[in-house]
Amino acid sequence: MKKCIVLVLLLVGSYAGLAQKMRVGLKLGGNVSDGVGADAEESLLRLGAHAGAAFQFNVTQHIGLQAEAQYSLKGDNSLEYGPSIMHQLAYLDIPVLAQYTLDDVYLEAGPRVSRLLSVRSNDDEVVSAGKGVFNTQTYGFSLGFGYQNETGIQIGWRYNADLTPLYRDIDFLDTTVRTNIRNSTMQFYLGYMLGFGR
């Protein structure tokens, strides 16, 4: 019986120590996105938004990890194929970022995977080809900086760049045609992290 009590106390103590390093919160903000790449032309900036959940874990006093799952609106505002994107693209973004914190200011960078959820044409009179012409999963990276105080309030800026082309490759006359245009997105956000404490 005593061994069980000691084991329970050790587990509770370990969990409490670990919990002090973990925080969960919500984030939301604005997006400014367009298409970039060797083939990108006539791509116009689109204003959008993003929102989702965030999870933080401190490895040391200055180094931590932040993983997120967020709904994010990207694409561009073009009405002409230049090539350009010509669509609003809704994604589920999952970045995993390493953060370096000095006092209340942090720098962050890491990989990101994005899953295409929906597609809407910029021109209501044009029938969209839907998700079929786009890669439904893209990969990229994120980097940024921000401020997070002792109450858990977070304010930041982030740049998200895709490394995967937006459009699927097309097989045409025994040749594979690739259009090199990718998402490029700047984000400005507010967040609130529960259980904050460094």
Side-chain angles (χ1 to χ4, degrees):
M1 183 65 175
K2 290 181 180 179
K3 289 182 180 179
C4 290
I5 293 173
V6 170
L7 181 60
V8 169
L9 290 175
L10 286 174
L11 289 174
V12 169
S14 298
Y15 176 77
L18 188 61
Q20 289 178 359
K21 298 182 179 181
M22 292 183 182
R23 292 176 290 282
V24 178
L26 298 175
K27 292 181 56 187
L28 59 90
N31 288 353
V32 180
S33 62
D34 68 343
V36 298
D39 299 326
E41 297 179 14
E42 306 296 332
S43 186
L44 301 175
L45 293 177
R46 169 180 285 279
L47 299 180
H50 68 276
F55 170 82
Q56 283 182 341
F57 177 76
N58 284 347
V59 179
T60 69
Q61 181 181 357
H62 297 293
I63 297 174
L65 293 174
Q66 180 161 307
E68 301 173 9
Q70 59 180 235
Y71 178 82
S72 186
L73 297 176
K74 306 177 190 177
D76 72 8
N77 215 25
S78 178
L79 295 174
E80 297 182 11
Y81 184 77
S84 60
I85 302 174
M86 299 185 302
H87 289 79
Q88 174 183 275
L89 307 175
Y91 286 91
L92 172 63
D93 279 353
I94 302 178
V96 178
L97 308 172
Q99 291 184 329
Y100 178 78
T101 302
L102 188 60
D103 295 327
D104 293 335
V105 178
Y106 61 87
L107 302 174
E108 60 184 6
R112 176 183 41 80
V113 61
S114 301
R115 182 74 178 179
L116 184 60
L117 301 176
S118 66
V119 171
R120 184 173 65 83
S121 173
N122 293 339
D123 189 344
D124 294 334
E125 297 180 1
V126 175
V127 177
S128 173
K131 293 195 295 185
V133 298
F134 295 98
N135 284 314
T136 55
Q137 191 158 296
T138 57
Y139 301 91
F141 66 90
S142 302
L143 55 89
F145 62 89
Y147 166 83
Q148 184 169 296
N149 66 20
E150 294 180 356
T151 66
I153 294 174
Q154 192 179 72
I155 302 170
W157 171 91
R158 185 180 295 167
Y159 175 66
N160 295 326
D162 279 1
L163 301 175
T164 310
L166 276 176
Y167 291 105
R168 292 180 185 269
D169 294 346
I170 299 172
D171 293 325
F172 181 73
L173 297 177
D174 298 326
T175 304
T176 300
V177 179
R178 170 171 289 182
T179 304
N180 188 359
I181 183 169
R182 307 179 307 278
N183 276 313
S184 173
T185 309
M186 283 192 299
Q187 294 184 328
F188 305 90
Y189 61 84
L190 293 173
Y192 182 70
M193 307 302 294
L194 296 173
F196 184 86
R198 293 196 182 278

